[in-house]
Amino acid sequence: MASDDQIHAALSAIRGEDQLALLAGVIGGSSASISIADSSDPALPLVYVNEAFEILSGYTRSDVLGQNCRFLSAERPDSAERSRLREAIADRRPGVFELRNKRKDGVIFWNRLSLYPVSLPGGRSYLVATQEDISAEREAQVDRDSARGQLLSALAGTREGFLLLDKYGVVEVANARFREFYESAPDQWTRGRHFTASWSDYLVGLQEPPKTAARKAEQRFEQIASGQKDREEQLPDGRVVQVNDTVIPYTGYVTVVTDITTHKATERRLAERMVAIDAAQDGMAIADGAGRFVYLNPSHVTMFGYDTPMDLIGQSWEKLYRPEQIAYLQKHAMPVLMESGRWRGDIAGIRKDGSEIMQDVALTRLDGVGLICVTRDISDRVRGENERARLREQLAQAQRQEAIGHLAAGIAHDFNNILAVVSGSARLIAEDASEALAPHVQRIIAAGDQAQQLVARILDFGARAPERAVQDMRKPFIDAITLVKSSLPMNIKPVIYQPDTPVTGELDPTDLMQVILNLALNARDAMPAGGRLMFTLDQAPDTLHRQTPTLGHVRQDVEYARLTIADTGNGIEPERMGSIFEPYHSTKGEDGTGLGLAVVSSIVTSIGGALFVISTPGDGTQFDVLWPLTMARKPERPDPLTHAPSADLSGRRVILVDDDAAVAEIMAEEIERRGAEVAVCTDARDALDAVSEDPDFWDVIITDFDMPVMSGAELARKINVLSPGKAMILCTALADWRGRNETAAELFSSVLQKPLKDGALAIAVSECIDG
């Protein structure tokens, strides 16, 4: 655009009348509305208007020339803008004014009036004015102001801070929240101020030096102009904000500031909790609404034998359970979860390698999240509980056995005394028995010996070392059956099979007899309506070596005898088969002890044998016992009646003390027959009186242990005071007499167990005297 000097120089080169014609042509043809008023005249009459003025106002030249242009104004006379215009006209100074004017047709429009005073030589002065219709611009401005007001109103209630800058960095809008974050002085963020000035004031308010503040303000504006996103800052009061700068092309910049202090604190707590969850020993997992894993902590992953969470992420929780466990959870856990939102229980999971893991599982259902699972490996606890339960059961069994043992000890004591009478009487009869009576007496003696061993086994079940010897199994087999027959009712027929050749094995006859007795009596009780009871002894066939026994093991390199006890009774239900050998398990109710088959199991296991059970409910039961054999030479055994030990006790004086008179008489008669003089006392005090009268008169004192008033140990101790070194023999039916008095054993020269073997008492008396 040409300068005023250039225009003046151009006009100077043109002649005066040409200049006037040129200016008139320019003004008249201009698209801008131009009017000239004579300011030399106080009335300020219009002396010229161009065609554009006529178009803008709707008036013709003839309508307006000679009039003051105020007739065009639609502005209130007292308006600030009109007052400002009057002052400019009065002072003959230029100015730009925006006023409402009225066209000839009455339409009001906004007019931007530019006033220029012009003075000419000769004292004449004029006011040149240009007019521009700015109605559309003013309407747009109103709309912008309205929009800005609405924006400010909207931003006033937000939690975010907003700063709007124009393209030059001048503040357009700074809402209250933004000023709260960054204001240090009033009017700091006033509209129209440049950002750098406002930010510099903020930093100075934070005690920054002005030069440093100005430099940092420039740097801050450069950050905004670069459009940085998600920038976090900490305010002086400790709050944390997130700043997002956005560049609006050709328009300006927007900065949004969000207070994320709570969010950061929550984020920190969540991070801490996630660290705790990841470090937890319990397994923790989250499954979505479809049951697929979306999170697993390391403990949960390793608990199930996987390497990383990604091995299970996206997989269904059902992958960690077998079908039956899934069905259990679907039936029992899911309904409770849907109703109460929680479920807890113990269930077995399945590891990656297929092994089971016992878990304590706690499930929680959260709407919008899914299923939260907390699991703990309780395999050790379950094993511990099972072990404790087993130990408690063992303790209970031990207590029951102890109680039974105490009861059995008392019964055995009395029973042994009775056996002593029976066996002693039988032996005395045997010495004078005729040939016809001898077999019967021998059977009584043998039965007494077997009964004594049974009592000893009952008193010390599981602890007594069997007295095994190589012998023919046929004799104890028949002896045991002979005892069983006496307890069978008339409606049960025994059937016996045994080979013609010896079945030689290493065994304790008492073991064999106990097995036969317990199996036979069980068979008897299984046939209340009668039937057949079959006893078989033979060599075990090779086919049994290839079968799996119910109890024990069958070795291929061992020969076995087979002992079969079979009945035609009720049989055993399949569900009971697994527990028939357990102690105290009985199918007879109050009539059974549950010890019979447990004894059989113990003996079969101890000899290294095996047992097969075949049973059909309603058709009977067959027990096959495989007994290991030793094909050694059978030793010669003396006949107890024809090779009884002998001892000459002639002239020996003996005191025999026993509170059971019958037992005392039998024992006395045995040693009297060998020449001894015997004084029988049923009261220990009488024996003590006899010894105190003449201690040297008596050669041997024989005493029972468990007696009223004074025990055998007390009697022996007192006699030892009266006659030190006196020969004393303890003859007792108690198996545990040593446990009742730990020092009693040293008081006696010999100890004999009732019932006595043939000649044992006479030999003991002879040895004590000789000793």
Side-chain angles (χ1 to χ4, degrees):
M1 181 180 290
S3 66
D4 291 343
D5 292 339
Q6 290 172 330
I7 294 173
H8 179 72
L11 290 175
S12 297
I14 302 173
R15 292 178 301 173
E17 61 274 14
D18 292 338
Q19 287 182 4
L20 291 175
L22 177 61
L23 291 173
V26 170
I27 295 172
S30 173
S31 62
S33 171
I34 300 174
S35 63
I36 301 174
D38 186 357
S39 60
S40 302
D41 186 344
L44 295 175
L46 291 172
V47 295
Y48 175 81
V49 294
N50 68 353
E51 186 179 352
F53 177 89
E54 292 178 318
I55 295 171
L56 176 66
S57 66
Y59 291 96
T60 64
R61 289 185 180 93
S62 59
D63 293 333
V64 299
L65 290 178
Q67 296 191 52
N68 189 297
C69 64
R70 68 172 62 93
F71 75 91
L72 295 173
S73 178
E75 194 76 22
R76 295 193 320 272
D78 60 345
S79 72
E81 194 71 357
R82 193 164 182 177
S83 298
R84 196 167 67 86
L85 175 61
R86 283 195 296 267
E87 291 173 359
I89 292 172
D91 295 340
R92 300 295 189 269
R93 53 184 172 79
V96 179
F97 310 92
E98 293 184 357
L99 302 163
R100 282 175 295 183
N101 280 8
K102 182 170 60 176
R103 292 187 177 94
K104 184 177 181 179
D105 59 6
V107 176
I108 296 174
F109 68 96
W110 279 96
N111 177 36
R112 179 179 289 129
L113 176 66
S114 299
L115 187 65
Y116 303 98
V118 176
S119 297
L120 297 177
R124 302 288 298 177
S125 62
Y126 297 90
L127 286 176
V128 180
T130 62
Q131 295 86 23
E132 181 183 358
D133 186 352
I134 61 169
S135 298
E137 183 180 330
R138 287 300 295 259
E139 288 176 3
Q141 180 64 40
V142 170
D143 290 342
R144 285 196 299 272
D145 290 345
S146 175
R148 185 174 183 277
Q150 292 175 356
L151 176 62
L152 288 174
S153 177
L155 294 180
T158 63
R159 296 180 60 85
E160 285 78 21
F162 284 90
L163 174 68
L164 276 65
L165 305 177
D166 67 12
K167 61 182 179 180
Y168 303 109
V170 175
V171 175
E172 287 282 349
V173 175
N175 72 343
R177 186 66 164 163
F178 184 86
R179 292 196 299 272
E180 178 196 337
F181 289 144
Y182 296 109
E183 193 167 64
S184 59
D187 302 326
Q188 177 182 325
W189 295 101
T190 302
R191 182 184 181 191
R193 292 195 74 193
H194 197 276
F195 172 83
T196 56
S198 298
W199 192 260
S200 179
D201 289 346
Y202 167 68
L203 295 178
V204 169
L206 298 179
Q207 309 304 315
E208 286 277 3
K211 289 185 179 180
T212 304
R215 187 181 70 255
K216 289 185 176 179
E218 292 290 345
Q219 293 172 350
R220 179 74 174 206
F221 183 67
E222 290 175 2
Q223 283 183 328
I224 294 174
S226 66
Q228 293 190 10
K229 300 290 184 182
D230 297 334
R231 186 173 71 254
E232 290 186 6
E233 295 178 350
Q234 185 167 1
L235 301 180
D237 60 5
R239 288 180 294 175
V240 179
V241 294
Q242 185 179 66
V243 181
N244 284 284
D245 298 318
T246 302
V247 178
I248 304 174
Y250 311 111
T251 302
Y253 311 96
V254 177
T255 295
V256 181
V257 183
T258 306
D259 187 347
I260 59 172
T261 305
T262 303
H263 171 75
K264 293 298 289 185
T266 302
E267 189 178 80
R268 184 174 60 254
R269 288 195 296 270
L270 287 176
E272 292 170 351
R273 291 174 184 175
M274 286 305 299
V275 170
I277 290 173
D278 284 345
Q281 293 184 354
D282 289 346
M284 299 183 186
I286 301 175
D288 62 17
R292 296 183 296 265
F293 285 119
V294 296
Y295 169 78
L296 303 100
N297 74 340
S299 294
H300 198 288
V301 174
T302 57
M303 187 182 300
F304 283 88
Y306 290 87
D307 299 323
T308 68
M310 296 311 298
D311 293 336
L312 293 170
I313 293 293
Q315 301 284 336
S316 172
W317 63 266
E318 295 181 355
K319 184 174 182 177
L320 302 182
Y321 298 92
R322 290 198 169 94
E324 60 271 20
Q325 294 150 351
I326 295 172
Y328 174 85
L329 288 171
Q330 295 285 7
K331 181 178 180 180
H332 298 281
M334 295 308 172
V336 177
L337 268 176
M338 298 306 296
E339 181 178 349
S340 66
R342 297 175 182 275
W343 180 84
R344 184 167 186 169
D346 294 349
I347 192 167
I350 180 170
R351 292 188 178 92
K352 183 179 180 181
D353 61 7
S355 61
E356 280 195 349
I357 173 176
M358 281 303 300
Q359 316 164 81
D360 173 14
V361 176
L363 300 177
T364 303
R365 181 177 59 85
L366 291 181
D367 293 336
V369 176
L371 195 65
I372 299 175
C373 172
V374 179
T375 179
R376 176 172 296 178
D377 184 349
I378 59 171
S379 301
D380 291 341
R381 191 190 81 189
V382 171
R383 283 193 293 269
E385 289 176 352
N386 291 339
E387 179 63 15
R388 286 192 293 273
R390 186 183 67 81
L391 292 176
R392 282 195 297 269
E393 179 60 25
Q394 286 184 344
L395 177 60
Q397 290 182 11
Q399 289 172 338
R400 289 194 294 268
Q401 282 185 299
E402 183 180 7
I404 292 172
H406 288 312
L407 179 62
I411 295 173
H413 174 267
D414 295 338
F415 188 55
N416 275 338
N417 280 336
I418 295 171
L419 286 176
V421 174
V422 173
S423 298
S425 298
R427 287 188 174 86
L428 293 175
I429 293 172
E431 294 182 10
D432 300 325
S434 63
E435 190 173 328
L437 290 177
H440 301 291
V441 176
Q442 183 179 1
R443 192 157 43 248
I444 294 173
I445 292 172
D449 291 342
Q450 295 291 341
Q452 180 189 5
Q453 293 180 45
L454 271 178
V455 171
R457 175 61 64 87
I458 292 171
L459 286 173
D460 200 13
F461 177 67
R464 183 183 67 86
E467 298 177 359
R468 293 175 182 158
V470 177
Q471 55 189 289
D472 187 353
M473 293 180 66
R474 292 180 300 174
K475 184 177 186 303
F477 173 71
I478 294 300
D479 289 346
I481 295 173
T482 301
L483 292 176
V484 169
K485 284 182 180 179
S486 63
S487 64
L488 296 179
M490 296 297 295
N491 60 355
I492 294 180
K493 178 183 179 182
V495 180
I496 304 170
Y497 301 97
Q498 69 170 346
D500 296 330
T501 58
V503 181
T504 304
E506 186 178 32
L507 73 150
D508 182 346
T510 304
D511 286 341
L512 184 63
M513 183 180 65
Q514 284 189 273
V515 170
I516 294 173
L517 284 175
N518 281 294
L519 292 178
L521 294 180
N522 270 3
R524 177 200 65 186
D525 295 338
M527 296 185 289
R532 287 188 305 155
L533 179 56
M534 288 153 282
F535 302 87
T536 303
L537 177 66
D538 60 4
Q539 295 281 342
D542 292 338
T543 55
L544 288 179
H545 284 72
R546 296 188 292 273
Q547 298 179 23
T548 302
T550 307
L551 184 72
H553 302 281
V554 180
R555 292 176 54 184
Q556 299 297 322
D557 58 343
V558 174
E559 267 192 77
Y560 296 92
R562 178 175 62 178
L563 171 65
T564 301
I565 309 293
D567 64 66
T568 57
N570 297 327
I572 303 171
E573 295 84 354
E575 60 270 18
R576 292 183 178 272
M577 189 66 73
S579 56
I580 61 175
F581 296 105
E582 294 179 4
Y584 307 107
H585 176 84
S586 175
T587 61
K588 304 175 188 177
E590 296 181 355
D591 296 330
T593 64
L595 290 173
L597 291 181
V599 170
V600 172
S601 170
S602 175
I603 293 173
V604 170
T605 302
S606 69
I607 65 173
L611 184 145
F612 295 84
V613 183
I614 303 171
S615 183
T616 304
D619 290 338
T621 302
Q622 176 175 319
F623 287 86
D624 289 315
V625 179
L626 298 193
W627 205 288
L629 293 179
T630 300
M631 305 306 292
R633 181 181 179 86
K634 178 183 174 182
E636 296 293 332
R637 299 184 66 193
D639 188 308
L641 291 180
T642 58
H643 298 84
S646 60
D648 184 9
L649 302 178
S650 299
R652 301 301 184 183
R653 293 180 288 276
V654 179
I655 296 179
L656 196 151
V657 187
D658 199 306
D659 59 321
D660 189 322
V663 173
E665 290 176 3
I666 294 297
M667 293 167 62
E669 185 170 350
E670 178 180 341
I671 56 178
E672 283 176 343
R673 288 191 176 192
R674 287 162 176 77
E677 296 181 17
V678 182
V680 176
C681 301
T682 56
D683 189 328
R685 292 173 295 185
D686 295 337
L688 185 60
D689 291 341
V691 173
S692 62
E693 289 179 4
D694 190 353
D696 297 330
F697 181 77
W698 304 101
D699 297 301
V700 179
I701 312 297
I702 302 172
T703 181
D704 192 8
F705 188 89
D706 193 12
M707 297 181 294
V709 182
M710 186 184 301
S711 70
E714 292 175 305
L715 175 62
R717 191 170 287 108
K718 292 180 179 180
I719 290 177
N720 191 52
V721 173
L722 296 174
S723 178
K726 178 68 70 178
M728 300 190 66
I729 298 173
L730 176 64
C731 188
T732 180
L734 288 175
D736 62 342
W737 64 273
R738 287 180 176 83
R740 302 192 182 191
N741 192 318
E742 296 180 357
T743 61
E746 61 189 28
L747 299 172
F748 300 103
S749 305
S750 181
V751 178
L752 301 178
Q753 193 75 34
K754 294 179 183 177
L756 302 175
K757 300 284 186 181
D758 184 28
L761 182 58
I763 292 174
V765 171
S766 177
E767 289 177 348
C768 286
I769 294 173
D770 293 341

